Amino acid sequence: MDAGRHPNIEILTLSQVTGLSGRAGDFRATVVSQPRFVKLDRCTGCGDCAMACPQTSRNEWDLGLAARKAIYRPYPQAVPSAYVIDISTCLNTPTHLVCERCRRVCKREAIEHDMQPTTRRLNVGSVIVATGFDEFHPHVMKSYGYGVWQNVMTSLEFERLLNASGPTQGHVIRPSDRKEPKNLAFIQCVGARGEGGRPNCSRYCCMNAVKDALLYRQHQPEVESCTILYTDIRAFGKGFDAFVERAEGEDYIHFVRGRPSKLMEVENDDIEIFVEDTEIRRQLRLRSDMVVLSCAGVPRDETADLANALGVQTNAIGFFAAASADHPVETNREGVFLCGSAGGPHVIPECVAQASAAAAKAACYVRGFEMPEIRPPEPEPIDPAAPPRVGVFVCRCGANIGRIIQTEQLAEEAAKLPGVVHASVELFACADTGQKSIQEKIAEYKINRVVVAACTPRTHEPVFRQACLGAGLNPYLLEMANIRDQCSWVHSKSRDKAYGKALDLVRMAVARSKQLQPLEVIGVEITKHAVVIGGGIAGLRAAIDLDRLGIGVTLIESSDKLGGRVHALHATFPSNRSSATPASELLEALKKSKIRVLLNTKVKAVTGYVGSFEVHLDPSGKGDGIPPVKAGAIIVAIGSALHVPGKEWRYGEAPNVISSMDLERILKDGDPDKVLAGAKRAVFLQCVGSRHPEHGYSGCSRYCCPATCKQASELKARGIDSVVLYRDMRMVGHGAEEYYREVRHDGVLFLRYDPKHPPELIGDGCVEKVTFTDTLLDKTVSIPADLVILAVGMENPIEYSEELRTLLKIPRGSDGFFLERHPELGPVETCIDGVFLCGTIQGPKDISDSVVQASASAGKVAELLSRETIYLEPVVCEVQPELCRACGECVEICEYHALQMTVDETGRQVAQINRALCKGCGTCAVWCPTTAIRACHFTDAQITSMIETLFEEYHV
């Protein structure tokens, strides 16, 4: 929806790129658009046409679980919001009109049945492919009975049932008898990891099944069991393991390790699953009310044709091919980029980071081209000083709110409140149609205060503020009541309580809205220079991308050389290229750039704010002398540390116990023929310092399993047999699953151990054997070992990072790594405006994902620094000097350093607030003993009005 509202983004729907000629920076793209049969500039999305249409068809958006008309809108929040005719099911054709009901009822004369395909040729500098993926069709896997037995469905179909705007409005029922299933089974890896001719892992399926199992209880509290049948739970992302542990703690969720041999329908349309639980080595026959197949992600049907049209290659599994693991968003054709699941299935945080990275790369080819600034017509400003005229807009949010709360009745009650001149209900207030409706009502009723009763202001307040602005109303004259999270969700079992609380919130919101005052945004000039802290692979990539975008960069590295840990690697995964290759490519690019590099330098202080930072430096051994660097934005890329094993693994005690990093150094620089001479068998121990909150990182370090496969393959080539003791093999990188299969084929043995009974390293002096319990055999196994390699996880480099974190005020997550603004939608931003993250300081990841984040953060910085002025939120605090007694306590408690003591024109000391630094948290206002400080958007009058309104209703 943001893209749809952006004045410089043109969206072409029903369109395909059929050709791309020219070169990067000067492409000619041929785009063929199929007819919509509805004029976009005339359709208002009123829906009268669909009401009149007699013809129904399969609803593709709901995967055939519901029907739609021949003229339809794909879903309520579709962009554009105009309707479209499916001419294959419409009774009319361009030459033969037999129905025309839709055309007769359309007051805007928007329908035109004789529209024809059109062809456009666009001159573009670069192309980004973001076509996503399709779900594997399980029809071909006969053993699952999909399409034969009604109560077997795919995970996407199950998602539609769970969705409040889906065909059952979030009420999950069995297709066979419309009863609520109480026993669910999720089957993982359908069409993946060797099934259905597909060798790869789809990455997202494990966590999606865990999420759905947790979510289902919210929809069906009486659920008795959710059984997840898995091979390996691949919880590889940041916080994913904690999410799985939460599911494991639920008494109704059961994890069974095994792949079903077959499914069979039994009485009452239930499904019986035949599976061996490999953890307990027992054949099971599980009976379930409904089975959900977690199907693989597969390339879209048009991928090959589009790749041919663009002149780019596809990879071995049919997706668009990346140029290399070190250039994951680039293709073989310069100027054409990938993001999201166009290159293979990815989870949402990866897709978001890739999108920003691809945008940054693409921007390099459109430098110098300026889009004409398109300003929407300015409406007549509304006088906020006039007596309050409040408009209340109640959102149904599909069924999210409307299923629990009687929104029509709520709007009727709101309309009776003093000062309210209009109240209405919107299906989706955040959709284009909802926004237009709000703006029309503001104009029609001369509304000068707006109350939106909808979902969380955290994500949607900016949307409604824009709607107010578009209608000529100061955007800070908006108040939101969160009747979704705080009412329909938390009181879903009691409609009366949900409605009563929603009415209270709306009454309080109306009361506060009448106290609101217009606020003006704060303009700050931007320093068009960036600082990158950290000279590893991620920091180098970010700095070079910024340089290519024409932005001045200072790169600060605390050590005496650039490149980071990659210098110590023998080879990188999965290409097995020398580690010198990616580093040398970046260092070569650095030589040709204008980047200022400062080695042996640390940051000792940071002052200022977004757009205008001052970074004070501490060059080791040289004393002060470098003036502060002025920058509009900062990227933090200081990387992570590797876990140092302790005595529990006999590391540092037994000479033949080494870490995976030690092995890399031996293979790279340590004369491996001599050091490894005589070794016949190596044993790898996985998850050393990972997935262990007491000894290292609590989550998965993600890089270790692929790295172990690479090292085991290298040892095999040197005549050393390898055994890998693992918990779950999490081969999640591009080509990783295929590589895992290849390594096993070459003879590397993989055995699973129980983390509750970790392997024992036995032998005097040197380790002679490793003893452990094989969970699949349920036997104690002893393996002779000449060499033991500990696959160590990543940790936060506490010493320097804590100092830097304090300077930049970036919060740290419970796992020790720096915390991003939003785990899915803001993976490279922080809560500090103008400060960004990339690489492993945000969480463990491999080189490919690190460079994606680096380019993504560069893209964010470039977007920020492309402006002349940045406008900051005016929701800040202000000092009333006449009440200040200069006690200075506010200066002490402000964690954003926004306050300082100054001398006014009378020579008196008073507190002063830097509005650019102030976050409007109100801590100083609460603390001030003389009430000299007030929070502009949360004044006493506003808060008091809400409290009095609430108590007034209950006669308190």
Side-chain angles (χ1 to χ4, degrees):
M1 288 189 290
D2 284 346
R5 283 190 282 265
H6 199 289
N8 288 338
I9 295 178
E10 181 185 15
I11 296 179
L12 303 177
T13 57
L14 301 168
S15 302
Q16 288 182 308
V17 177
T18 59
L20 185 69
S21 59
R23 57 182 175 78
D26 188 21
F27 284 126
R28 299 287 189 280
T30 304
V31 180
V32 176
S33 299
Q34 298 302 317
R36 174 178 287 272
F37 304 106
V38 177
K39 296 176 183 174
L40 279 174
D41 57 343
R42 288 180 174 268
C43 179
T44 61
C46 67
D48 288 347
C49 52
M51 293 287 288
C53 178
Q55 193 72 352
T56 58
S57 183
R58 177 181 186 271
N59 187 324
E60 298 87 349
W61 178 250
D62 283 327
L63 305 171
L65 298 172
R68 61 160 171 78
K69 295 294 184 67
I71 185 167
Y72 66 104
R73 184 164 58 194
Y75 50 96
Q77 295 160 299
V79 177
S81 60
Y83 278 64
V84 59
I85 292 178
D86 174 6
I87 204 68
S88 68
T89 59
C90 180
L91 296 178
N92 297 315
T93 69
T95 57
H96 191 62
L97 304 180
V98 297
C99 175
E100 290 201 290
R101 288 179 175 83
C102 56
R103 199 158 74 169
R104 287 199 292 268
V105 299
C106 182
K107 301 179 183 66
R108 299 270 301 171
E109 298 181 344
I111 297 169
E112 188 175 305
H113 283 97
D114 57 355
M115 279 186 178
Q116 298 297 317
T118 58
T119 300
R120 292 178 62 179
R121 288 181 175 78
L122 306 176
N123 182 206
V124 298
S126 52
V127 176
I128 298 174
V129 184
T131 49
F133 68 89
D134 280 335
E135 191 180 43
F136 173 77
H137 211 301
H139 272 115
V140 297
M141 307 287 292
K142 302 294 183 187
S143 58
Y144 292 125
Y146 180 79
V148 179
W149 302 312
Q150 294 185 70
N151 295 329
V152 178
M153 60 174 46
T154 70
S155 54
L156 271 185
E157 290 170 341
F158 187 69
E159 287 282 346
R160 292 310 301 154
L161 295 185
L162 280 174
N163 196 295
S165 60
T168 56
Q169 298 189 332
H171 184 200
V172 177
I173 55 174
R174 303 202 315 171
S176 67
D177 53 14
R178 304 184 70 78
K179 291 181 179 176
E180 297 169 339
K182 293 188 177 179
N183 299 287
L184 275 176
F186 294 85
I187 298 177
Q188 302 304 105
C189 302
V190 175
R193 302 188 65 185
E195 277 196 349
R198 306 205 60 75
N200 61 301
C201 165
S202 286
R203 300 173 75 130
Y204 68 90
C205 322
C206 286
M207 299 312 297
N208 190 62
V210 173
K211 181 234 0 174
D212 282 351
L214 285 167
L215 196 59
Y216 184 53
R217 172 159 272 190
Q218 295 179 19
H219 291 248
Q220 173 51 280
E222 295 177 358
V223 61
E224 294 174 357
S225 72
C226 285
T227 303
I228 299 175
L229 306 177
Y230 72 99
T231 305
D232 295 291
I233 289 294
R234 292 189 161 168
F236 56 86
K238 187 177 182 182
F240 286 10
D241 264 312
F243 196 64
V244 173
E245 288 170 10
R246 178 184 157 196
E248 289 173 334
E250 296 287 343
D251 57 1
Y252 72 99
I253 297 179
H254 312 290
F255 290 85
V256 174
R257 190 175 188 275
R259 277 194 172 188
S261 58
K262 68 175 181 180
L263 277 64
M264 180 178 291
E265 189 177 66
V266 294
E267 61 182 354
N268 297 326
D269 302 320
D270 291 351
I271 305 297
E272 192 167 57
I273 305 168
F274 294 74
V275 61
E276 179 190 2
D277 185 337
T278 58
E279 294 279 18
I280 59 174
R281 298 153 301 284
R282 187 180 300 167
Q283 300 284 340
L284 302 177
R285 296 174 67 168
L286 304 174
R287 185 161 174 164
S288 179
D289 299 334
M290 179 187 284
V291 169
V292 180
L293 306 178
S294 294
C295 297
V298 298
R300 302 195 64 177
D301 291 340
E302 64 271 23
T303 298
D305 289 341
L306 181 57
N308 186 50
L310 296 175
V312 300
Q313 298 173 347
T314 55
N315 59 27
I317 56 175
F319 289 91
F320 293 94
S324 71
D326 305 327
H327 301 89
V329 300
E330 298 171 79
T331 69
N332 61 296
R333 186 170 186 181
E334 185 182 358
V336 181
F337 304 96
L338 305 175
C339 67
S341 294
H346 291 281
V347 295
I348 292 175
E350 295 168 343
C351 293
V352 172
Q354 284 192 0
S356 296
K361 300 284 186 186
C364 293
Y365 295 94
V366 294
R367 283 183 58 195
F369 175 75
E370 294 186 2
M371 291 287 290
E373 188 175 3
I374 302 172
R375 291 181 178 274
E378 292 188 6
E380 186 178 346
I382 296 172
D383 181 10
R389 294 176 60 83
V390 184
V392 179
F393 301 92
V394 181
C395 179
R396 287 180 57 82
C397 196
N400 265 308
I401 296 171
R403 183 166 57 92
I404 303 296
I405 296 172
Q406 297 175 351
T407 49
E408 297 289 350
Q409 183 179 339
L410 186 61
E412 289 175 9
E413 292 298 320
K416 301 174 186 174
L417 297 173
V420 175
V421 297
H422 169 78
S424 60
V425 176
E426 302 291 338
L427 179 59
F428 283 103
C430 61
D432 274 1
T433 50
Q435 300 283 289
K436 289 177 185 174
S437 175
I438 290 173
Q439 291 177 340
E440 289 169 0
K441 297 297 188 298
I442 289 174
E444 181 180 352
Y445 292 94
K446 301 190 182 304
I447 291 168
N448 58 14
R449 301 290 188 281
V450 171
V451 171
V452 178
C455 51
T456 170
R458 183 184 176 195
T459 55
H460 282 70
E461 194 169 49
V463 174
F464 296 119
R465 281 180 177 170
Q466 282 298 315
C468 292
L469 189 61
L473 190 62
N474 185 287
Y476 298 91
L477 297 176
L478 162 78
E479 175 68 359
M480 286 190 70
N482 187 350
I483 63 172
R484 186 191 66 176
D485 301 28
Q486 297 175 6
C487 301
S488 65
W489 280 4
V490 296
H491 299 296
S492 61
K493 298 176 186 175
S494 174
R495 294 189 175 195
D496 290 342
K497 285 185 178 178
Y499 177 79
K501 187 175 178 182
L503 183 55
D504 284 343
L505 293 181
V506 169
R507 289 192 300 105
M508 294 164 70
V510 169
R512 180 171 181 244
S513 73
K514 291 189 283 188
Q515 302 293 329
L516 294 174
Q517 294 298 315
L519 301 175
E520 298 301 326
V521 294
I522 306 165
V524 175
E525 288 189 9
I526 289 183
T527 303
K528 293 184 178 297
H529 189 89
V531 162
V532 178
I533 307 173
I537 287 291
L540 284 169
R541 180 77 269 169
I544 290 167
D545 283 352
L546 285 170
D547 178 74
R548 288 178 176 172
L549 289 166
I551 295 170
V553 183
T554 299
L555 177 62
I556 300 169
E557 166 59 37
S558 60
S559 72
D560 60 356
K561 65 179 179 181
L562 299 170
R565 189 180 301 124
V566 75
H567 276 306
L569 300 180
H570 165 61
T572 58
F573 173 85
S575 62
N576 260 339
R577 291 198 304 167
S578 166
S579 64
T581 304
S584 60
E585 287 177 358
L586 292 172
L587 292 174
E588 194 60 32
L590 185 71
K591 290 178 184 174
K592 301 174 184 175
S593 73
K594 299 178 182 177
I595 299 169
R596 179 192 183 198
V597 179
L598 298 175
L599 299 176
N600 295 311
T601 303
K602 288 188 175 182
V603 175
K604 68 176 182 182
V606 178
T607 59
Y609 41 83
V610 57
S612 183
F613 289 109
E614 277 199 2
V615 181
H616 300 258
L617 304 173
D618 179 13
S620 59
K622 298 179 182 176
D624 293 334
I626 300 179
V629 179
K630 295 184 177 181
I634 298 171
I635 295 176
V636 182
I638 59 172
S640 62
L642 291 179
H643 177 71
V644 179
K647 291 182 179 178
E648 71 275 16
W649 298 111
R650 300 187 59 183
Y651 183 74
E653 172 199 335
N656 63 338
V657 176
I658 62 174
S659 73
S660 49
M661 199 63 204
D662 294 333
L663 180 58
E664 288 291 333
R665 294 191 185 98
I666 291 171
L667 292 172
K668 185 172 188 289
D669 302 317
D671 193 0
D673 292 337
K674 180 179 178 180
V675 176
L676 301 175
K680 297 296 182 184
R681 172 168 287 175
V683 176
F684 288 83
L685 293 182
Q686 299 303 104
C687 299
V688 174
S690 295
R691 304 177 67 187
H692 202 308
E694 295 176 3
H695 295 287
Y697 175 48
S698 58
C700 171
S701 284
R702 173 172 191 151
Y703 85 99
C704 324
C705 287
T708 290
C709 287
K710 181 201 70 173
Q711 292 182 336
S713 179
E714 174 69 24
L715 293 184
K716 186 71 179 176
R718 294 174 177 275
I720 302 173
D721 293 333
S722 294
V723 178
V724 178
L725 306 186
Y726 71 97
R727 293 175 61 179
D728 298 288
M729 285 304 292
R730 293 179 170 175
M731 304 294 290
V732 294
H734 176 68
E737 183 67 25
E738 297 89 323
Y739 191 60
Y740 176 36
R741 192 180 302 275
E742 182 183 329
V743 171
R744 281 185 293 168
H745 180 267
D746 290 342
V748 176
L749 188 60
F750 291 82
L751 300 174
R752 195 161 186 260
Y753 73 86
D754 181 357
K756 295 177 182 173
H757 303 92
E760 294 183 43
L761 310 185
I762 297 172
D764 295 330
C766 289
V767 172
E768 296 171 359
K769 63 181 179 180
V770 179
T771 301
F772 71 102
T773 300
D774 187 318
T775 62
L776 305 183
L777 298 175
D778 192 28
K779 288 183 178 178
T780 301
V781 176
S782 291
I783 303 173
D786 302 315
L787 185 65
V788 176
I789 299 123
L790 307 176
V792 293
M794 291 184 182
E795 294 177 339
N796 186 16
I798 297 297
E799 186 179 351
Y800 179 39
S801 75
E802 182 57 26
E803 181 183 339
L804 189 60
R805 187 192 71 78
T806 304
L807 293 175
L808 293 169
K809 309 175 194 69
I810 303 173
R812 186 192 298 278
S814 59
D815 55 12
F817 289 90
F818 283 16
L819 196 61
E820 65 284 338
R821 183 179 62 80
H822 191 285
E824 291 190 336
L825 304 179
V828 300
E829 297 102 318
T830 70
C831 66
I832 305 301
D833 294 338
V835 179
F836 302 88
L837 303 174
C838 66
T840 56
I841 188 60
Q842 184 260 348
K845 55 183 66 67
D846 59 19
I847 292 175
S848 180
D849 288 335
S850 292
V851 296
V852 164
Q853 276 203 339
S855 295
S857 60
K860 293 289 182 183
V861 170
E863 190 274 333
L864 176 68
L865 301 191
S866 65
R867 314 170 203 169
E868 297 297 326
T869 304
I870 185 172
Y871 293 97
L872 305 178
E873 277 281 310
V875 182
V876 295
C877 294
E878 64 181 15
V879 177
Q880 301 172 80
E882 67 276 12
L883 298 179
C884 178
R885 69 180 188 188
C887 66
E889 292 190 30
C890 54
V891 177
E892 296 295 323
I893 64 170
C894 179
E895 61 179 298
Y896 301 104
H897 307 294
L899 283 132
Q900 61 180 350
M901 299 306 298
T902 60
V903 178
D904 66 10
E905 60 276 10
T906 66
R908 192 171 64 95
Q909 276 207 332
V910 294
Q912 186 180 56
I913 291 178
N914 184 331
R915 298 184 71 189
L917 289 175
C918 181
K919 299 297 179 186
C921 68
T923 304
C924 55
V926 174
W927 198 265
C928 180
T930 61
T931 66
I933 301 177
R934 71 170 196 145
C936 294
H937 200 50
F938 296 94
T939 63
D940 288 350
Q942 293 169 11
I943 303 300
T944 303
S945 68
M946 299 176 77
I947 296 170
E948 288 179 347
T949 300
L950 176 66
F951 288 166
E952 203 174 74
E953 178 69 15
Y954 298 99
H955 306 293
V956 176

